[in-house]
Amino acid sequence: MSRSFLGMPAFPRAADVSTRDTRLRANLTHATRTIRDKRARAVAELDDWAGLRAAGAALKDRTLRHLDRYLEQLEESVVAAGGQVHWAADAAEANRIVTRLVRETGEREVVKVKSMATQEIGLNEALAEAGIRAYETDLAELIVQLGDDLPSHILVPAIHRNRAEIRDIFRREMGKWGRPAPEGLSDSPAELAEAARLHLREKFLTAKVGISGANFMVAETGTLVVVESEGNGRMCLTLPETLISVVGIEKTVPTWQDLEVFLQLLPRSSTAERMNPYTTTWTGTTDGDGPRTFHLVLLDNGRTDTLADTVGRQALRCIRCSACLNVCPVYERAGGHAYGSPYPGPIGAILTPQLRGMAGPLEQSLPYASSLCGACYEVCPVAIDIPEVLVHLRERVVEGGPVTRGGARVVLKPARGHAAERAAMRAAAWAFDHPGALRGGMRLAARTRRLHPRRLPGPGRAWSDTRALPAVPAESFRDWWRRTRGANGNSETGGVE
Amino acid sequence: MRVALFVTCINDTLRPRTGQAVVTLLERLGVDVDFPEEQSCCGQPQFNTGYRHATEPLVRRFDRAFADHEYVVTPSGSCAAMVRDNFPRIAARAAAEGRGRELAEAAARAVPKTYELTEFLVDVLKVTDVGAYYPHTVTYHPTCHGLRMLGLGDRPRRLLERVRGLTLKELPGAEECCGFGGTFAVKNPAVSAAMGADKVRAVTGTGAEALCTVDNSCLLHLGGMLVRQGSPVRPVHLAEILASTEADVAAGGGPGRAAGAAGGAR
C-alpha cells in the first residue's frame, strides 16, 4: 500500500479535478441516490424515529460529558474479563503499540476487519514498514486495497468503482496477494462476491492475528461490538489467536441498554436495513473459545481536544452511518477522495479539521466544503448540527481564537490568505452599518452600470466563468421607496453616522 | 395592520422589483407597509463565512430598525432563517465571551416578529388566494433555508396553486441544493457550478417558462446560469407572481417582468 491521505491537496483544487470525472460522477450519483431512497423508506417505517434520534443524541452527549469516568470503568471491565488495555495519545503511539503487539506474536501477517480508526492512523503503512502485511477483509476494503487505492466512503469505501472496474482489479491483483481470481471472472455481483469469498477464506483460516475496530464499547461489561453485513468481521473476531482492537475513545456507551437505541439508529441510517446481518460482541477472553489474547488500544488522536470545544464536540456523537454523505450534494459531485481523509463528506468536513488541527491548507479548506444546505443535519441519526459546526470552524480559519491542542489551551492565528476577504467583509459590514454610505454606494453602482464588466477579476472570476453577472438596476429599492413613498412621512434620514 | 418590510440587501441593490412587488401585494391585501430606512443586511454573508464578530452590529441594527413594529416581513427565506436561527446563536456566543445580555435581548425581540413572506400570508393574514393572475407555466424550487431551517412546508405551493392562469410544473429533485450557498459559489466554484448545472437541467426539463423561489440569492445564481446558457426560462421571485394581476399582464408583464418591473437581466 503506497497511498496515504496525508498531503492531499486542498478541497477546492481536488474537487475541481473530480467534478470533471464523468465516470466517477455517474458511479456516485447512482449509488448515493439508491441508498438515499432506501434509507428514507426504512426510517419512515418507525413511528418513533424522532424520539430515537433525540435519545441517541442525548445518550452520546451525556457519555461525552463524563467520558473520563466511563473510560476508566471500561478499562476495569476489560481487564477483569481477561483483556489488556493500552492508551494511545496519538497516531504514532497507537501504531507503535500495535506493531509491538504483532511482533510479540512472531507473526508477519494479520487479517483486518474494517476499521476507520486504523485508516485514520495509517496503521497498514506503519505495519508494512515493520515488515508485517495487513489484509483487509471487508469486500469494499479489499477492492480498495487490491487497487492500491484509498477509501472514499464510510460505509462503501469503493463506492467510486463500478462492477467492471472491480472485475479488472480482481483479475489483475488477487494473484499477487494470495488465491487468484477464477478464470473468466465476469462482473456479475454473485461471481465477484464468490471470488472475494474464496480469496478471503484462505486468509481467515491461516491468520493468527486479527485487528479490528468497534462500533461501540460498553463500559459496564467491557464488551466491544461490531455490526457488519458480510460475516468477515465475525471471522476476524473469532478465528485468530490474538485479537487487537483499535477504537476511538468516543465509541464508549455506558450500558448494554444504550445499544437498544443505537442498534436501531445505525442500520436504518447506513444500509437502510431494519437490522444489520451480523452483530458480534466480545468481552475479554474465554478459555476454549475465540482469541486467547485480547488487546484494546484506546485511541485519542485529537478527540479530547475536540471534546474541549463546546460547539465542535457534537462531531464526536457520530456513529459512522454515512447517511450525511449520501444526501450531500457536495460529496456527490466532489467524491470522497477530495476530503483527504478516511472521513469524507459533511462529517469529514467537521471531524478531520478538529482531529488533525487546522494548520494545514486541506484542514482549512474543509469547513468551506459545504453550501450549508442542511440536508446532512436533517438526516443525521444523532442530530449533529453539521452546518453549525462548519460555520464555527470557518470562524477559526478567518479569525483564529482559543483552541485546545495536545491538551493545552493555545490561541490560533487566523489562516493566511484571508486578508483581502477579511478587509472586504469588514468594509461590507461597515457599509451595512451606515445606511447613508450604503445608499451612496448603490447609487454609484447604478450610475456606472453600463461600465460594469461582464467577467470579474480575482476570486469573483469563479462566479462569472459559469454564470452571467446580475445586472445592477437603475434604481435601488431604497431610492424607489424614497422617490415614491418618501412623502408619506415614514422614512428617516439615513445619513452617515 | 401595519408591517415593516425587511427588503434584504440583495433585493435592495439587485432585485428592487421584488421589494416593490411585496409592497404592491401587501397593500392590495389591506396591509400598511413601512420601510424603516435604518435597515441594512441581516449579516448572513459575514456570519456564514466565519466573521461572526462582524455580524454583531447588524443584529443590533436590525433590532433598532424594527423596534417600532410588531411584524417584520421579508421576501427571503434565507434572511428570515438568519434572524430566526442565527441571531440567538450569535447572542449566546457573545454572552459566553462575557459581553453581556444586550445582544440576547435584541435577538429575543427580533426572532418572534420576523416572518418570511409566505409565512406571513398563510399564518398571519390567513390567505392563500391573494387575487393574483399569472398566465404562465412555473416550476418551484424550495430553497434550502426555506425548506429546512424555516420549515415553510407547502405554504409557497398553496399560494401558487391559487394563482389564476398559473400552471405548476413538478421539479424533479426539488429538495436538492442549487449550489449557491453564499460565498460557497466563490470558494468552491467547480462543485457549485456542477450543482447549479444539474439544477438548471432539471428546471429546463420541466418545460416551464419561469423558475420561482422565495429567495433571490438562489435565483441570481440559477438565473445567471440560465442566461449564460441562453435558456428562455426566466427566474422570478414568488412575490412578483403573487403581486401580478390581470391589469399588469395586459400592460405587457411576462415571467419575471411583473409588478412595476425595473431593470432586467442582460
Side-chain angles (χ1 to χ4, degrees):
Chain A
M1 289 297 289
S2 57
R3 303 289 302 268
S4 156
F5 278 114
L6 299 173
M8 292 290 277
F11 185 86
R13 209 160 46 239
D16 187 37
V17 177
S18 54
T19 48
R20 282 186 264 125
D21 183 340
T22 50
R23 183 161 67 170
L24 174 75
R25 288 274 299 277
N27 291 353
L28 277 175
T29 299
H30 174 72
T32 56
R33 287 185 187 203
T34 307
I35 309 177
R36 196 189 304 177
D37 295 347
K38 277 170 67 184
R39 182 207 160 270
R41 284 197 296 275
V43 164
E45 286 180 353
L46 292 186
D47 294 333
D48 61 344
W49 185 259
L52 276 172
R53 182 179 189 247
L59 282 170
K60 281 278 180 182
D61 276 354
R62 197 192 64 207
T63 312
L64 289 168
R65 269 202 306 277
H66 306 291
L67 191 60
D68 51 346
R69 207 175 75 207
Y70 289 119
L71 283 170
E72 283 177 7
Q73 188 190 3
L74 176 76
E75 180 178 34
E76 281 170 28
S77 308
V78 170
V79 171
Q84 297 172 46
V85 176
H86 312 262
W87 298 80
D90 56 21
E93 189 174 9
N95 286 332
R96 271 199 307 276
I97 293 168
V98 177
T99 307
R100 174 172 58 79
L101 292 173
V102 177
R103 273 203 176 130
E104 282 170 6
T105 66
E107 294 296 316
R108 316 288 289 178
E109 293 187 344
V110 300
V111 285
K112 284 182 67 199
V113 55
K114 188 187 167 195
S115 153
M116 307 209 68
T118 62
Q119 282 281 358
E120 177 188 322
I121 61 177
L123 178 65
N124 288 9
E125 290 78 11
L127 289 174
E129 273 180 37
I132 299 161
R133 205 165 193 189
Y135 296 108
E136 297 290 347
T137 67
D138 174 275
L139 176 55
E141 290 283 354
L142 174 72
I143 295 162
V144 166
Q145 186 175 43
L146 292 176
D148 191 21
D149 199 355
L150 287 168
S152 72
H153 190 279
I154 288 176
L155 179 75
V156 199
I159 196 169
H160 54 290
R161 299 287 197 184
N162 63 28
R163 283 190 278 141
E165 292 175 85
I166 294 165
R167 178 203 54 206
D168 294 344
I169 292 169
F170 278 9
R171 280 185 179 168
R172 198 174 62 234
E173 302 292 336
M174 265 185 174
K176 299 178 196 166
W177 291 76
R179 186 183 173 120
E183 284 292 314
L185 176 68
S186 81
D187 67 357
S188 84
E191 280 194 39
L192 293 174
E194 185 60 15
R197 192 194 308 272
L198 294 170
H199 179 82
L200 287 172
R201 187 60 54 121
E202 278 190 1
K203 303 279 182 255
F204 291 133
L205 294 175
T206 53
K208 300 273 192 290
V209 180
I211 294 179
S212 88
N215 294 89
F216 306 99
M217 303 187 287
V218 183
E220 65 174 351
T221 55
T223 304
L224 275 66
V225 183
V226 154
V227 298
E228 40 127 7
S229 304
E230 297 167 13
N232 63 303
R234 184 158 299 176
M235 294 279 212
C236 285
L237 295 164
T238 53
L239 290 174
E241 292 170 9
T242 301
L243 174 60
I244 304 167
S245 299
V246 184
V247 189
I249 53 174
E250 84 284 13
K251 301 269 175 133
T252 312
V253 296
T255 69
W256 274 76
Q257 201 179 355
D258 302 324
L259 293 176
E260 176 203 340
V261 173
F262 295 113
L263 292 183
Q264 293 184 75
L265 289 172
L266 180 52
R268 282 183 201 257
S269 291
S270 61
T271 50
E273 289 168 308
R274 291 170 182 147
M275 192 179 176
N276 50 287
Y278 292 87
T279 303
T280 308
T281 69
W282 65 104
T283 313
T285 55
T286 307
D287 283 341
D289 184 18
R292 275 181 296 230
T293 313
F294 168 57
H295 297 277
L296 171 58
V297 181
L298 289 171
L299 179 70
D300 187 316
N301 205 32
R303 285 162 175 77
T304 51
D305 290 342
T306 304
L307 204 51
D309 186 314
T310 51
V311 178
R313 67 167 59 143
Q314 56 185 309
L316 296 178
R317 280 187 213 149
C318 177
I319 55 173
R320 313 280 188 259
C321 72
S322 75
C324 64
L325 278 63
N326 299 327
V327 296
C328 178
V330 176
Y331 174 88
E332 186 183 327
R333 272 94 189 167
H337 290 157
Y339 294 81
S341 156
Y343 307 110
I347 186 65
I350 63 169
L351 199 53
T352 306
Q354 294 197 86
L355 293 182
R356 289 193 199 156
M358 301 183 69
L362 172 73
E363 291 75 18
Q364 288 166 6
S365 73
L366 285 177
Y368 293 95
S370 166
S371 64
L372 304 180
C373 81
C376 51
Y377 177 32
E378 187 177 59
V379 86
C380 177
V382 284
I384 302 170
D385 192 340
I386 294 176
E388 179 187 32
V389 182
L390 287 167
V391 169
H392 175 67
L393 296 176
R394 290 175 186 189
E395 187 186 320
R396 286 269 172 285
V397 174
V398 298
E399 292 191 343
V403 292
T404 306
R405 290 314 299 169
R409 241 10 210 167
V410 291
V411 176
L412 214 65
K413 279 191 196 144
R416 292 195 325 197
H418 289 263
E421 179 188 279
R422 199 174 301 121
M425 284 293 177
R426 283 197 185 136
W430 183 85
F432 284 134
D433 206 23
H434 295 81
L438 182 64
R439 178 193 299 279
M442 284 181 190
R443 280 196 188 135
L444 183 65
R447 279 186 199 133
T448 57
R449 66 203 190 101
R450 307 250 172 253
L451 307 171
H452 292 182
R454 291 192 169 224
R455 289 185 194 270
L456 290 172
R461 214 185 73 196
W463 177 281
S464 53
D465 274 354
T466 48
R467 285 154 289 216
L469 287 169
V472 176
E475 187 180 46
S476 70
F477 179 85
R478 221 165 261 273
D479 281 348
W480 172 83
W481 179 269
R482 211 172 241 201
R483 181 168 60 77
T484 59
R485 314 288 170 120
N488 291 352
N490 53 27
S491 60
E492 299 152 24
T493 46
V496 177
E497 295 162 28
Chain B
M1 187 189 284
R2 217 173 170 80
V3 306
L5 168 64
F6 172 43
V7 82
T8 87
C9 55
I10 284 194
N11 292 329
D12 193 359
T13 53
L14 296 171
R15 296 279 289 197
R17 65 177 176 234
T18 298
Q20 292 156 16
V22 177
V23 175
T24 306
L25 171 68
L26 291 178
E27 287 180 349
R28 196 171 76 216
L29 295 169
V31 177
D32 293 321
V33 183
D34 287 343
F35 177 72
E37 292 197 32
E38 207 188 327
Q39 66 175 277
S40 62
C41 168
C42 66
Q44 188 178 188
Q46 295 86 357
F47 181 76
N48 279 356
T49 313
Y51 299 89
R52 172 169 58 88
H53 292 102
T55 318
E56 291 180 1
L58 301 177
V59 177
R60 283 188 211 106
R61 169 163 295 278
F62 188 97
D63 177 44
R64 244 185 357 256
F66 300 110
D68 298 337
H69 291 88
E70 191 185 350
Y71 295 105
V72 180
V73 179
T74 183
S76 164
S78 85
C79 301
M82 174 69 192
V83 174
R84 201 89 61 78
D85 241 46
N86 289 329
F87 277 19
R89 238 187 269 261
I90 292 162
R93 296 288 289 167
E97 288 167 8
R99 275 176 290 120
R101 300 269 315 147
E102 174 227 349
L103 276 172
E105 284 156 18
R109 284 187 292 265
V111 170
K113 65 179 164 189
T114 304
Y115 289 83
E116 184 275 332
L117 176 66
T118 69
E119 291 176 323
F120 183 74
L121 294 172
V122 176
D123 300 352
V124 180
L125 296 185
K126 306 204 184 298
V127 288
T128 45
D129 187 344
V130 297
Y133 175 71
Y134 196 78
H136 302 284
T137 52
V138 173
T139 192
Y140 174 70
H141 167 59
T143 59
C144 298
H145 288 122
L147 182 73
R148 299 194 185 88
M149 284 170 86
L150 289 182
L152 293 183
D154 64 353
R155 290 181 186 85
R157 283 189 75 100
R158 280 160 66 197
L159 289 157
L160 281 169
E161 280 163 5
R162 303 298 289 273
V163 175
R164 274 170 284 286
L166 187 148
T167 310
L168 196 56
K169 295 271 189 186
E170 219 43 64
L171 179 64
E175 299 195 349
E176 282 172 44
C177 177
C178 72
F180 171 59
T183 47
F184 174 74
V186 175
K187 287 184 179 283
N188 278 289
V191 181
S192 168
M195 288 161 69
D198 288 349
K199 183 61 75 179
V200 161
R201 198 171 302 120
V203 167
T204 311
T206 64
E209 294 164 78
L211 164 66
C212 164
T213 75
V214 296
D215 260 298
N216 270 331
S217 44
C218 306
L219 277 186
L220 287 175
H221 158 73
L222 292 173
M225 284 197 149
L226 289 164
V227 169
R228 187 56 62 81
Q229 293 179 8
S231 164
V233 181
R234 311 283 305 189
V236 53
H237 192 285
L238 179 73
E240 294 164 38
I241 292 179
L242 298 183
S244 172
T245 60
E246 291 186 45
D248 298 319
V249 174
R257 296 197 178 283
R266 277 192 266 230

